[in-house]
Amino acid sequence: MRYGYWMPVFGGWLRNVEDENMRADWDYVKTLAQRSEDLGYDLSLIAELNLNDIKGEEAPSLDAWSTAAALAAVTKKIELMVAVRPTFHSPALLAKQAANIDHISGGRLSLNVVSSWWQDEAKKYGVHFEQHDDRYARTAEWLHVVDNLWKQDHFTFDGKFYKVTDSILQPKPVSRPRPFIYAGGESEAAKNMIAAQCDGYVMHGDEPAAIGRRIQDLSERREKLGLPRMKFGVAAYSIVRNTEQEVKKELDRITNVQGSAAGYKNYQQWLAGTQLENQVSLQDYSVSNRGLRSGLTGTPDQVAERIAAFEAAGVDLFLLQCSPQLEEMERFSEAVIQVLAS
């Protein structure tokens, strides 16, 4: 099992807690990234939104790609999984930028391709926003261009969304045959695209049985295409305490839903902009990415047992969130990661 974590580029993950003591600034994310390598974490997912979905639009949020480039230069081991939304990036220019960061990191860059959902953000940043299935059609073309530019020169493509002529990209990425590409999504359009063009499938939080069914689904799609097995990751919010009473107290604190909070402004728009297999409650939304559904909450033994159930279902990777992040990541490392590795 590999353990990753979401870099807190939004200053936290709780929509009902105003200050989580994890600033959205360079000093904090640098400290967290460097410390995480000592704690045994394998990678960090750097999310990409120009507005702050968690704390409200007026709150600060860090740019994903400049942050990734800086972190590449000050870390040594962790994989940097950077989110990228095709609607916001020219494929040829992003391929060039990503290849450069891959060199800075020594081959530690990967992409998490996201087909967008926030229409108001796109408008405020002057970006065209399409309907759901059209966004995935665009993403499929975008990935085709990026993949080919990483692998060959004098590449020409004339598609519906993108055109490049005799394009050359040097230097190529360090990673071979290309940087690893993850993506997530629960619609048919998303799963078909991911099975055909990506290397890893990342999922919102859910119980092991439900995650296992999604893994089986994607694995069957891959097999029909004659492609090798994907890697599978799942989001989870972690709470590790010595007693169940302490766990319940913390759960009550982070799910005390305040529907008027700035972080809930985009709840309905998020629901309208996605196609989900299951309905999401406002309490689910209080913690980012449905992380509580994964159930990595309990005593160290209970959490270890839950991790074993996910591993049996085919999960290769956790993408963890917690708050306050540095303190909770240290706790999780000591109580879970180091114990299971021993």
Side-chain angles (χ1 to χ4, degrees):
M1 184 65 70
R2 300 179 74 216
Y3 296 92
Y5 62 95
W6 294 67
M7 188 63 70
V9 295
F10 307 122
W13 307 113
L14 305 176
R15 289 185 167 89
N16 66 313
V17 177
E18 184 175 351
D19 184 0
E20 299 179 54
N21 193 31
M22 39 205 283
R23 305 177 310 279
D25 64 26
W26 165 243
D27 285 340
Y28 186 80
V29 299
K30 179 179 69 171
T31 298
L32 187 64
Q34 291 174 331
R35 177 67 176 137
S36 73
E37 294 189 313
D38 297 331
L39 294 173
Y41 290 88
D42 299 290
L43 79 159
S44 182
L45 193 167
I46 305 169
E48 180 186 59
L49 282 176
N50 298 303
L51 298 177
N52 194 322
D53 171 47
I54 306 296
K55 299 301 183 184
E57 295 175 9
E58 305 295 329
S61 62
L62 301 182
D63 170 71
W65 282 87
S66 55
T67 298
L71 288 174
V74 298
T75 54
K76 298 178 180 178
K77 295 185 293 185
I78 60 168
E79 175 185 337
L80 298 170
M81 182 202 296
V82 193
V84 57
R85 295 173 298 167
T87 50
F88 285 80
H89 298 272
S90 155
L93 295 176
L94 190 283
K96 178 74 172 179
Q97 184 178 357
N100 196 52
I101 298 174
D102 197 45
H103 276 268
I104 295 169
S105 70
R108 292 184 285 119
L109 180 77
S110 60
L111 304 190
N112 178 30
V113 181
V114 182
S115 292
S116 301
W117 61 267
W118 197 352
Q119 186 172 2
D120 280 359
E121 183 213 17
K123 288 180 179 178
K124 290 179 180 182
Y125 274 79
V127 174
H128 180 61
F129 190 85
E130 294 151 327
Q131 294 303 307
H132 181 276
D133 285 5
D134 289 336
R135 297 199 299 276
Y136 278 96
R138 176 184 288 277
T139 297
E141 258 190 35
W142 189 94
L143 279 170
H144 179 74
V145 174
V146 170
D147 180 57
N148 277 279
L149 285 174
W150 280 342
K151 294 177 179 177
Q152 62 175 294
D153 280 336
H154 302 288
F155 174 66
T156 296
F157 178 77
D158 187 354
K160 177 181 178 182
F161 301 99
Y162 301 108
K163 294 176 173 56
V164 295
T165 303
D166 193 30
S167 187
I168 297 171
L169 190 156
Q170 289 291 343
K172 301 298 186 193
V174 174
S175 304
R176 294 288 187 269
R178 67 178 187 191
F180 203 89
I181 297 176
Y182 303 86
E186 298 177 15
S187 69
E188 282 299 302
K191 289 184 283 191
N192 286 333
M193 184 275 293
I194 294 166
Q197 294 180 267
C198 299
D199 309 304
Y201 183 47
V202 289
M203 296 162 276
H204 289 304
D206 216 328
E207 62 180 4
I211 295 298
R213 289 190 292 270
R214 295 192 187 113
I215 290 174
Q216 181 66 28
D217 179 20
L218 263 291
S219 297
E220 290 174 356
R221 293 172 196 250
R222 290 281 284 189
E223 188 174 350
K224 289 177 182 178
L225 294 169
L227 296 171
R229 182 187 183 274
M230 308 186 81
K231 296 293 186 181
F232 296 98
V234 62
Y237 190 95
S238 64
I239 301 174
V240 182
R241 297 291 187 273
N242 292 326
T243 68
E244 293 183 4
Q245 290 78 11
E246 291 176 285
V247 174
K248 183 180 184 303
K249 181 179 179 181
E250 179 65 4
L251 280 169
D252 289 344
R253 180 184 76 87
I254 69 174
T255 59
N256 178 22
V257 173
Q258 300 172 12
S260 62
Y264 292 93
K265 180 180 178 182
N266 304 302
Y267 176 56
Q268 294 300 330
Q269 189 173 153
W270 178 72
L271 289 178
T274 58
Q275 293 182 16
L276 304 175
E277 293 176 354
N278 299 299
Q279 292 299 310
V280 177
S281 72
L282 193 60
Q283 189 174 71
D284 279 330
Y285 193 68
S286 67
V287 170
S288 177
N289 300 97
R290 306 205 305 260
L292 286 175
R293 285 192 181 185
S294 295
L296 292 196
T297 56
T299 65
D301 287 344
Q302 289 171 330
V303 171
E305 184 178 345
R306 190 71 162 180
I307 289 171
F310 277 109
E311 194 164 15
V315 172
D316 303 286
L317 163 71
F318 282 110
L319 294 169
L320 301 173
Q321 294 176 343
C322 49
S323 177
Q325 189 132 346
L326 180 57
E327 294 85 344
E328 291 296 324
M329 282 177 58
E330 289 175 341
R331 187 196 301 263
F332 189 89
S333 173
E334 181 179 358
V336 179
I337 296 177
Q338 296 176 38
V339 172
L340 292 179
S342 63

